[in-house]
Amino acid sequence: MPNDWLIPDWALDARVGALMTTRAGGISVAPWDSLNLGRSSGDDPAAVAANRARLALASGATHTYLSQVHGDRVIRLDAESAQGSHTADAAWTDRPGLACTVMVADCLPVLLAAPGARAVGAAHAGWRGLAGGVVERTVQAVCEGASCEPGELAAWLGPCIGPEAFEVGADVLQAFGVPPAPHSSERFRYQVRADGQPRWRADLAGLARDRLRTLGISRVSGGTWCTVTDPSRFFSFRRDGVTGRMAACVWIRP
């Protein structure tokens, strides 16, 4: 396993496996160098397939890659559904050996694990999905699958666009129920553009922590990396336009 991959620092049952890839450890060439896992990024499909095979070998799990649309749909992975194609932004499972996998290149990945490795889940949370409830729906699905309460879950937030880089307009504040006033709030720092246009810097990971806290989840770690400001380690669509995709995944070991 490449040393540069991120391993969640949660203290859980050893049967829970989880990781997030970085751009290191693959065979893709620039601008997708090197471990690009996204088929729709413009990269050579053979390179993407080889990169995905490396991830599968390292994790020892079967990965189901979703067709992500910034929505709130959550699917359950079992022996049958894990082989299919799904338009969704989150997945959960209670079956060993199946990895809930989401791809990102600025959006926030959220991994969840229930006690006793009874269920796990992963959500792709860009601002649209986060505002639309994808985290809440994934938490609900994992809790129902594991017969537990949200407060019993552990959550890990992966790298995403950071609060110094995520410039947004009034539409994003309105999506989170925040009046777009010309001043800063806890998760939105007011910063006018040079041309006088009002803009804010949004804290995507902080917004996710707020939602998890509201659900009663206190065991939340991660969320400290910025994809935009670390080009040597992370893919970033906002920074580069044409770029690769990283994967965050969680599974139950057999």
Side-chain angles (χ1 to χ4, degrees), residues 42-205:
D43 193 5
D44 178 3
V48 176
N51 290 337
R52 289 186 175 189
R54 291 188 179 199
L55 175 58
L57 181 63
S59 65
T62 297
H63 294 258
T64 298
Y65 293 88
L66 308 174
S67 177
Q68 299 170 183
V69 293
H70 299 277
D72 65 350
R73 182 171 181 242
V74 185
I75 66 163
R76 177 176 184 257
L77 296 181
D78 56 22
E80 181 178 355
S81 63
Q83 305 303 317
S85 176
H86 306 279
T87 298
D89 282 87
W92 77 276
T93 190
D94 56 359
R95 303 298 179 88
L98 303 180
C100 300
T101 304
V102 294
M103 288 189 294
V104 293
D106 283 332
C107 291
L108 176 70
V110 180
L111 303 183
L112 301 167
R118 297 200 301 270
V120 295
H124 162 248
W127 73 263
R128 291 180 181 85
L130 186 60
V134 69
V135 167
E136 288 87 345
R137 288 179 61 85
T138 309
V139 167
Q140 179 183 7
V142 172
C143 286
E144 290 178 353
S147 298
C148 71
E149 296 299 319
E152 299 177 71
L153 299 183
W156 184 79
L157 312 180
C160 68
I161 185 170
E164 297 302 315
F166 193 17
E167 179 183 291
V168 302
D171 58 328
V172 176
L173 278 74
Q174 291 168 339
F176 285 95
V178 177
H183 57 71
S184 298
S185 58
E186 184 178 7
R187 300 304 184 192
F188 297 96
R189 179 168 58 83
Y190 185 61
Q191 184 171 328
V192 180
R193 278 184 176 175
D195 62 4
Q197 292 296 315
R199 291 292 185 273
W200 293 261
R201 302 284 174 160
D203 183 356
L204 186 61

Side-chain angles (χ1 to χ4, degrees), residues 133-134 231 233 235:
V134 69
R233 196 177 196 195
F235 294 119

